Amino acid sequence: MKPLLEITDVCLSYHSLSGETPALSHISFQLMPGEFLAIVGPSGCGKSTLGRTILKLIEPTAGHIIYDGKDITSLNIRKMRPLRREMQIIFQDPYSSIDPRKSVIETISEYMFIHKSYPTRREIMNRAVELMDMVGLARRYADAYPHELDGGRRQRIGIARALSLQPRFIVCDEPVSALDMSIQAQILNLLMDLQDELNLSYMFVTHDLSVVKHISDQIMVMYLGTCIEFASSDELFQKPLHPYTKALLAAIPEPDLESRKKGFQLIRGEVSSPIDPKPGCRFAGRCEHCMAQCLEKTPEYVETEPGHFVACHLVNGR
Ligand code: SF4
């Protein structure tokens, strides 16, 4: 089977008065059809920016984005238009990503009108109602406005709109982090059901590793614009290698207070400046295993076992 998405050495820098500000640095990975890839990292590490760069909402500075065997890195807005149907995004905050002046049915049908998905208005509206059923939104909400609905229902509108063009790949940008715990589980279950039903490939951006523990196939951990570890979900949870990944796993709340106390690991130290990163490992200022070479040389991103990549001198120097 061929990968649906191949990302090779993607870099992104912003120009500012003080020079180049790196946002993404040499990101590479593959996503197979029907696969669930979680991108995990702290706020500001570039995970949402990566999602938007892959969708070409932001132009990468270097590297290649191959979608379904085609290099889309340099495609302009007009040439990207047909691919917009296949590559969609679900945003973190459903309230700010939908137009408060449009009713539920108008929002869900919006993209279908833009892309002329069906020849008549009636067919588009019928499809919008089908999508409401598919995402579990009762038909009585068709004429409701976003402010009349709770966060979970608003997010269902965002999901229905993303599905309206029958995509194959969806970037889910922290889609549950603004929701209550009970609603989070409902939305995650819905996304999983839709993935099975429609053979969707997800790139799921989150800062919370516990959210994706049971639902992801692969996990990529990012820190300050770089990928520091990549492995299958089982491998990452059983055998994390990077000190930051270990700290993330230790921070997952345990129902048993005693085991939580044993495993908890506070990350101390100073976060490196993302604007002007120091030479060496970007996690060095917070790593309890930091060695002299960590301050001088950037660790290489190495495959330590089949499918398990890590960037750390401690692991790669063994
Ligand atoms: Fe820690 Fe060094 Fe590994 Fe960075 S390269 S995570 S500083 S041990």
Side-chain angles (χ1 to χ4, degrees):
M1 198 174 10
K2 280 195 308 182
L4 180 66
L5 189 67
E6 288 175 83
I7 304 300
T8 312
D9 264 338
V10 163
C11 300
L12 174 71
S13 300
Y14 294 115
H15 301 284
S16 64
L17 289 177
S18 52
E20 295 274 311
T21 302
L24 297 174
S25 180
H26 302 285
I27 307 283
S28 300
F29 66 86
Q30 291 187 344
L31 180 70
M32 303 304 284
E35 205 171 55
F36 190 118
L37 168 69
I39 310 284
V40 182
S43 295
C45 72
K47 51 195 190 304
S48 295
T49 305
L50 176 62
R52 285 166 167 77
T53 307
I54 290 169
L55 293 176
K56 298 269 287 144
L57 301 173
I58 305 172
E59 290 295 327
T61 318
H64 291 280
I65 303 167
I66 315 281
Y67 177 78
D68 201 15
K70 185 177 181 186
D71 192 338
I72 62 167
T73 321
S74 52
L75 293 191
N76 58 25
I77 292 175
R78 190 176 57 79
K79 289 191 174 154
M80 269 304 291
R81 197 175 157 94
L83 285 174
R84 292 268 171 247
R85 296 166 192 263
E86 297 199 12
M87 305 170 82
Q88 285 292 318
I89 184 166
I90 299 168
F91 294 97
Q92 176 182 4
D93 180 359
Y95 197 57
S96 63
S97 64
I98 51 185
D99 187 339
R101 297 162 302 175
K102 286 192 170 149
S103 67
V104 171
I105 198 85
E106 285 170 338
T107 304
I108 296 174
S109 57
E110 185 182 11
Y111 292 177
M112 291 189 280
F113 279 113
I114 293 170
H115 285 265
K116 300 184 175 62
S117 301
Y118 296 91
T120 65
R121 180 184 170 79
R122 178 184 286 268
E123 283 171 276
I124 288 178
M125 287 316 212
N126 287 344
R127 177 63 184 154
V129 172
E130 275 175 26
L131 287 164
M132 285 183 71
D133 295 342
M134 200 185 272
V135 300
L137 258 179
R139 291 183 182 195
R140 67 175 180 279
Y141 295 119
D143 295 320
Y145 287 85
H147 71 271
E148 299 175 82
L149 304 175
D150 60 31
R153 289 196 178 92
R154 282 186 211 138
Q155 194 54 291
R156 286 174 197 269
I157 301 173
I159 295 170
R161 183 176 58 176
L163 292 176
S164 64
L165 298 177
Q166 300 177 342
R168 294 168 69 197
F169 168 65
I170 301 184
V171 173
C172 305
D173 188 3
E174 304 242 21
V176 297
S177 58
L179 305 175
D180 294 344
M181 287 298 278
S182 60
I183 309 289
Q184 281 191 8
Q186 290 175 17
I187 296 294
L188 286 174
N189 286 336
L190 171 64
L191 289 171
M192 297 306 295
D193 291 346
L194 292 169
Q195 185 184 25
D196 286 346
E197 203 178 315
L198 306 171
N199 194 33
L200 298 169
S201 303
Y202 288 140
M203 180 179 149
F204 192 100
V205 172
T206 179
H207 62 273
D208 185 352
L209 205 44
S210 64
V211 164
V212 290
K213 182 175 181 181
H214 301 293
I215 55 177
S216 52
D217 299 307
Q218 311 270 359
I219 297 180
M220 183 167 107
V221 183
M222 287 185 70
Y223 191 82
L224 286 183
T226 59
C227 176
I228 55 170
E229 188 157 5
F230 184 101
S232 70
S233 179
D234 291 344
E235 168 95 1
L236 195 95
F237 275 86
Q238 280 165 22
K239 212 172 141 194
L241 296 175
H242 196 282
Y244 181 67
T245 312
K246 289 181 183 174
L248 276 183
L249 287 172
I252 294 178
E254 290 279 348
D256 171 14
L257 262 183
E258 281 310 306
S259 55
R260 185 177 179 187
K261 272 183 210 159
K262 270 185 241 157
F264 192 75
Q265 201 181 323
L266 197 63
I267 307 178
R268 298 179 194 279
E270 190 189 333
V271 182
S272 306
S273 165
I275 297 171
D276 184 20
K278 293 174 188 160
C281 172
R282 293 191 182 182
F283 189 58
R286 304 175 78 193
C287 181
E288 59 180 353
H289 306 288
C290 183
M291 306 169 281
Q293 62 171 326
C294 304
L295 301 171
E296 291 157 11
K297 193 173 158 216
T298 304
E300 279 181 46
Y301 188 56
V302 174
E303 188 169 19
T304 54
E305 281 175 40
H308 195 158
F309 297 81
V310 67
C312 173
H313 290 308
L314 190 68
V315 179
N316 299 339
R318 277 180 198 158

